Amino acid sequence: MRKSEAKELIKQARDAWDAEEWARAAELYERVLAHFPDLKASAVWWYDAALAHKFLRNWAKAYELGREAAARSPRGEGDPAYWNLGIAATIQRDWATARDAWSGFGIELPDGEGQIDARLGYACVRLDTGGEREVVWIERLCPTRGRVVSVPVTGGRRYGEIVVHDGEPKGERVVEGSTYPVFDELLLFEASELPTLEVTVAAGEKADLEALLELFTDHGFGAEPSSGVRMLCACCSEGTHEQERAVDAGAQQVSLAAPEEEARRLLERWAGETAIGRSWSGLAAVG
């Protein structure tokens, strides 16, 4: 291939990129890179080709081309080639490459080998299930994976599942002065076996409802009161939104994540801890 031909193909690739024709753009970049893998501009072409496959959710190709892009990018300077490789390697479960990619980006992780299960604080993820979108809280396990610690109201999604999310925040949640990023989900990485249940509870005081939530959390389960759920339009969801941790007293539905018999046992224990002010009814599985 002559350089003049390569120049024309790169122009076509950029036009396809601008039109969001990701498959076409990637194919054109790859045709040029097969002949010119190591020109000064090639690192950008490798990156764009890998990114196009990321947009297509073709993780095997995003991983393959992402390795080439990272190999031509400076380490320790926050180069996005490493971040995208970290995502693709995680999805491919190539933990050695993922660890090296995060290090190349400039992130320090605890020493170790294999799957990364660090405790990196909390964030939010916007689940996307067949067009239904819901923001849930996660405990971050690595720069791109998190365990869901909310009880999703979206059918088919569960407390405790592990998701892979993108690296660019799309919104923020502010709670008690602390700001948490909201990331878009890329895929469900590991399903959860905990079923989702619904129950109607009556709590005389806010402290009564808080005690119920704490009881389930202490046993490794989830509980989400309807008074803690807020409906937002897409525009607001992708902006900065202030939230309160407060819950309301009174009768309301609570979503639970627990085996039904365990949930029944904990509800009975909770209701029996005071003489008045706590009751429950209508425990049923959801979905």
Side-chain angles (χ1 to χ4, degrees), residues 164-195:
V164 174
H165 60 77
D166 211 348
E168 179 186 1
K170 294 290 183 65
E172 295 177 330
R173 297 295 180 267
V174 181
V175 182
E176 296 179 353
S178 296
T179 300
Y180 302 87
V182 180
F183 300 104
D184 284 341
E185 178 187 29
L186 292 176
L187 57 75
L188 173 63
F189 187 79
E190 185 177 312
S192 169
E193 296 183 356
L194 284 177

Side-chain angles (χ1 to χ4, degrees), residues 160-232:
E161 64 188 20
I162 296 174
V163 298
V164 174
H165 60 77
D166 211 348
E168 179 186 1
K170 294 290 183 65
E172 295 177 330
R173 297 295 180 267
V174 181
V175 182
E176 296 179 353
S178 296
T179 300
Y180 302 87
V182 180
F183 300 104
D184 284 341
E185 178 187 29
L186 292 176
L187 57 75
L188 173 63
F189 187 79
E190 185 177 312
S192 169
E193 296 183 356
L194 284 177
T196 302
L197 312 170
E198 281 188 351
V199 65
T200 300
V201 304
E205 304 288 342
K206 290 182 179 181
D208 292 318
L209 186 55
E210 289 169 350
L212 176 64
L213 307 185
E214 185 176 345
L215 180 61
F216 272 76
T217 299
D218 288 347
H219 283 77
F221 303 134
E224 195 87 28
S226 59
S227 59
V229 177
R230 299 289 183 269
M231 302 300 292
L232 298 174

Side-chain angles (χ1 to χ4, degrees), residues 31-145:
R31 283 174 59 186
V32 174
L33 287 165
H35 296 274
F36 302 103
D38 292 311
L39 295 180
K40 185 176 181 180
S42 295
V44 174
W45 302 338
W46 284 113
Y47 173 80
D48 285 347
L51 185 58
H53 283 295
K54 176 191 170 189
F55 292 153
L56 292 166
R57 302 298 191 257
N58 183 343
W59 298 112
K61 288 293 288 186
Y63 168 79
E64 174 192 337
L65 302 181
R67 292 186 64 156
E68 298 290 346
R72 294 162 175 82
S73 302
R75 295 183 67 87
E77 298 180 11
D79 193 295
Y82 290 102
W83 194 282
N84 286 336
L85 176 58
I87 292 173
T90 295
I91 292 171
Q92 296 298 104
R93 289 175 164 78
D94 180 350
W95 300 110
T97 297
R99 286 177 179 274
D100 184 69
W102 302 130
S103 175
F105 186 82
I107 297 173
E108 291 187 16
L109 292 173
D111 292 337
E113 297 180 353
Q115 182 168 296
I116 305 167
D117 288 317
R119 299 178 70 91
L120 303 179
Y122 293 89
C124 296
V125 165
R126 185 175 292 103
L127 302 180
D128 192 341
T129 311
E132 290 190 64
R133 308 183 85 194
E134 176 184 359
V135 175
V136 298
W137 287 90
I138 62 166
E139 180 182 19
R140 303 189 74 179
L141 304 175
C142 76
T144 195
R145 284 165 50 250

